[in-house]
Amino acid sequence: MRFILDIIEKLDPYTGIMILALAVLITIFAGLSKSKRMGIFIIILNALSYAGALYMIIYSFGEYGPRTGFLIDLGLPELILSCIVLFCGLNVLFFISVSRFSGDSFIRMIILLTFSLFSILSLIMADNMIFVFTALTITILSIFTLVSSLDGGSAGSREAIGKFGIRAFLPAVLIFFGFSVLSGTGGTKSLSGYASIESAADPLLLISTIVFACAIYLYFFLYPFQGPFLKLVRRIDSSSVSVLWFLYMPAGIILLIKFGAFFNIFDGKNNIYGFTAVTILAFLNLFGAGIGAIRAVSLSRILSMFLLFEIGTVVLIRSLGSMDGMSGYFAGQYDLAVLVIILMVLLPLCLLIMLLEKNTGKDMLIGIGGLMYKNIYIGICSIILFLWWIAANIYIFPFEKFISGNGPMSYGLQGLVLFIGYIMALLLIAVNIFRVILVFFKKLPAAGGDKTISVPRIFYIYISVFVLLALSILIFVIIGKTGMGHDHLVIWGSRFDIFGNGN
């Protein structure tokens, strides 16, 4: 036992990703066999490797605490992000195993999935500029390759994947350029070294910050650059969509948190120019997502619009910094909360898309018509998740800043714009949600419309877990056991200053 502990101590903090690397190596050799039993073994092996990596990351943090070095910076935010990413990996493994187990390239998909987690975990802990760029490039490449492998092979999907790949690599190029400019300032080569910047005293620092902001904006395919992302979602199946939603997007939020300190330049108190620019971009995405969802007839496209709405919320929250000086670190706390909301709702609803594809061959909205009559349990669970999503977005936006004291006008015209604008955008999204719910209750045709949707038992368990978790969070928030303050989280009555230490 002491020998094992010595190995863990020497490999720390890379123990978790080394477990994933070992799983990839074993899968490569085990994949030479095409038997079904070997496929099941590979699924179990990789699932255990994700769980093992999760345990080792938590164990290492508890044993050795936060760590900083030449290449890495590990604190509580990085620990939470690592746990979330591995949880996403387990779910994507489940989706791929359900939909592609009998495929010829199943083993290759599992290898690419595990390698993607390997690169994302490296990105989370990376602090050195070269390490960050390398990890980001490998992450985008591995996710792009995984989506390509999951693709059915139609001409339209191949074209969409190609355009997506070209656009996805552009942010990496911009970040490399930003690092090159930042090096000209003669400062540190680590991102954590810029934790306390509040103004762009050096023009090169301002240029690099603008480049970083443009890179992250393009990474999320936000308006008006949403075309390649939405076309890709429309033309690929649900297993490929799960990779985009639960690997690609979380990696972008990781980037946003890592570069959050640089955006303090834009979010400085009374910075009317920063407030105007960020607010316009935020509302462009919030209202664009709402209007786009109204026009959409594909369920995956509608949910992708909801995802873009969440990213727009993240951008809008940063507008608050121009009014009360909220730092990029504290804004990162809201980023984590938005990421949890995305996973809580989209993970189980991705299952609904898989059911549509299985029963109708497409994920068109009309395919879930009469869901309350075809499968009432799945229908009720979906409605609960949609309504929880609305409640969570009402809670996540810091309304207490506007309804306490003198209300929105205590922040002047800026506060009134944010308050009214977000309410209108959220109402637009709520209309889309109730539109989907109404389709659930659509009356069925007299003949052949009462056919039930067959669902494997594991699907019932899967969606039930998320519904119970969502309801538990709602109850804990109501009774005051869980909540979020300006610079802290409350979990079961205990306060956690996740970003309070500057990590």
Side-chain angles (χ1 to χ4, degrees):
M1 178 61 69
R2 184 59 194 173
F3 174 73
I4 297 177
L5 292 177
D6 289 340
I7 294 178
I8 293 175
E9 184 176 357
K10 291 179 180 179
L11 292 177
D12 183 75
Y14 306 102
T15 312
I17 61 176
M18 292 302 295
I19 292 176
L20 298 182
L22 181 61
V24 170
L25 183 62
I26 296 175
T27 303
I28 291 175
F29 289 100
L32 298 176
S33 173
K34 302 296 182 180
S35 67
K36 182 177 294 186
R37 291 183 178 179
M38 187 57 66
I40 296 175
F41 167 76
I42 290 175
I43 294 174
I44 296 174
L45 170 68
N46 283 269
L48 290 177
S49 70
Y50 302 168
L54 177 63
Y55 172 78
M56 290 309 307
I57 290 173
I58 297 175
Y59 171 81
S60 297
F61 186 84
E63 187 73 17
Y64 306 109
R67 283 139 295 166
T68 58
F70 174 69
L71 295 177
I72 65 170
D73 182 20
L74 286 176
L76 186 56
E78 287 74 24
L79 172 67
I80 296 175
L81 287 171
S82 298
C83 295
I84 291 176
V85 166
L86 288 170
F87 176 73
C88 290
L90 280 171
N91 285 272
V92 175
L93 176 64
F94 170 71
F95 292 140
I96 294 177
S97 301
V98 169
S99 60
R100 299 302 182 92
F101 179 72
S102 58
D104 295 333
S105 57
F106 174 71
I107 304 300
R108 180 177 62 185
M109 298 173 191
I110 299 301
I111 293 173
L112 289 172
L113 171 60
T114 306
F115 189 78
S116 298
L117 296 178
F118 177 94
S119 58
I120 295 176
L121 290 180
S122 300
L123 177 63
I124 291 174
M125 68 172 60
D127 188 46
N128 180 271
M129 295 181 186
I130 297 177
F131 193 12
V132 170
F133 170 74
T134 303
L136 174 62
T137 303
I138 296 176
T139 296
I140 295 176
L141 178 61
S142 58
I143 291 176
F144 170 74
T145 308
L146 178 56
V147 172
S148 301
S149 299
L150 289 168
D151 173 47
S154 64
S157 61
R158 286 197 298 268
E159 179 184 357
I161 291 174
K163 292 181 179 180
F164 168 80
I166 294 174
R167 287 284 299 277
F169 277 104
L170 181 58
V173 175
L174 289 176
I175 286 179
F176 178 79
F177 175 72
F179 283 154
S180 300
V181 174
L182 192 61
S183 300
T185 63
T188 178
K189 307 302 180 184
S190 300
L191 294 181
S192 58
Y194 297 91
S196 59
I197 59 173
E198 296 181 356
S199 61
D202 191 326
L204 293 180
L205 180 59
L206 177 60
I207 293 174
S208 61
T209 301
I210 294 175
V211 171
F212 293 149
C214 292
I216 294 176
Y217 196 87
L218 290 175
Y219 181 94
F220 285 116
F221 291 92
L222 298 178
Y223 282 85
F225 309 106
Q226 77 285 359
F229 174 74
L230 295 179
K231 288 181 180 178
L232 181 61
V233 169
R234 187 173 67 247
R235 295 178 181 177
I236 58 180
D237 62 17
S238 56
S239 58
S240 301
V241 170
S242 67
V243 175
L244 295 178
W245 286 353
F246 310 128
L247 291 183
Y248 181 82
M249 287 300 177
I253 293 180
I254 291 168
L255 279 180
L256 188 61
I257 293 175
K258 278 193 169 294
F259 289 92
F262 289 91
F263 304 139
N264 290 341
I265 294 176
F266 300 131
D267 296 338
K269 193 172 184 180
N270 298 322
N271 186 345
I272 186 62
Y273 302 105
F275 169 82
T276 303
V278 175
T279 302
I280 290 175
L281 292 176
F283 283 143
L284 181 64
N285 287 277
L286 292 173
F287 285 98
I291 296 173
I294 291 177
R295 299 174 54 191
V297 295
S298 165
L299 186 58
S300 61
R301 187 179 177 90
I302 292 174
L303 294 180
S304 294
M305 291 295 181
F306 292 172
L307 178 58
L308 292 179
F309 179 88
E310 294 293 349
I311 303 302
T313 302
V314 168
V315 177
L316 184 63
I317 286 175
R318 279 167 168 73
S319 297
L320 296 174
S322 62
M323 295 190 294
D324 60 7
M326 180 174 64
S327 72
Y329 285 128
F330 295 153
Q333 192 160 253
Y334 290 95
D335 298 340
L336 283 177
V338 167
L339 180 56
V340 171
I341 292 174
I342 291 173
L343 297 180
M344 283 293 301
V345 176
L346 292 189
L347 276 171
L349 290 183
C350 187
L351 170 64
L352 184 60
I353 297 176
M354 294 180 66
L355 294 178
L356 282 177
E357 291 183 348
K358 179 181 178 182
N359 287 272
T360 66
K362 298 180 180 179
D363 72 328
M364 305 302 289
L365 186 60
I366 194 174
I368 57 175
L371 181 63
M372 292 299 295
Y373 308 102
K374 297 178 181 179
N375 194 311
I376 187 172
Y377 185 77
I378 297 295
I380 292 175
C381 289
S382 300
I383 291 174
I384 291 175
L385 290 170
F386 276 124
L387 296 179
W388 184 89
W389 187 86
I390 297 176
N393 276 276
I394 292 175
Y395 178 78
I396 184 64
F397 193 75
F399 282 105
E400 72 277 1
K401 293 178 177 297
F402 304 104
I403 61 179
S404 62
N406 297 323
M409 292 309 297
S410 63
Y411 291 97
L413 181 61
Q414 298 176 2
L416 189 62
V417 168
L418 289 181
F419 186 80
I420 296 178
Y422 187 76
I423 290 294
M424 293 177 62
L426 188 57
L427 287 175
L428 190 59
I429 286 294
V431 169
N432 283 284
I433 289 179
F434 285 108
R435 169 198 169 202
V436 175
I437 293 177
L438 287 176
V439 175
F440 289 174
F441 290 92
K442 182 180 179 181
K443 290 186 177 180
L444 300 172
D450 57 348
K451 181 181 179 181
T452 60
I453 297 179
S454 58
V455 181
R457 291 182 180 179
I458 191 172
F459 283 10
Y460 287 106
I461 298 174
Y462 184 84
I463 197 169
S464 298
V465 170
F466 281 92
V467 170
L468 291 175
L469 185 58
L471 293 177
S472 299
I473 293 175
L474 180 62
I475 293 173
F476 289 155
V477 169
I478 293 175
I479 66 177
K481 291 294 185 180
T482 300
M484 182 172 62
H486 179 71
D487 57 354
H488 65 278
L489 295 178
V490 177
I491 302 177
W492 198 247
S494 300
R495 173 172 171 148
F496 296 90
D497 299 315
I498 296 179
F499 290 87
N501 58 359
N503 286 328

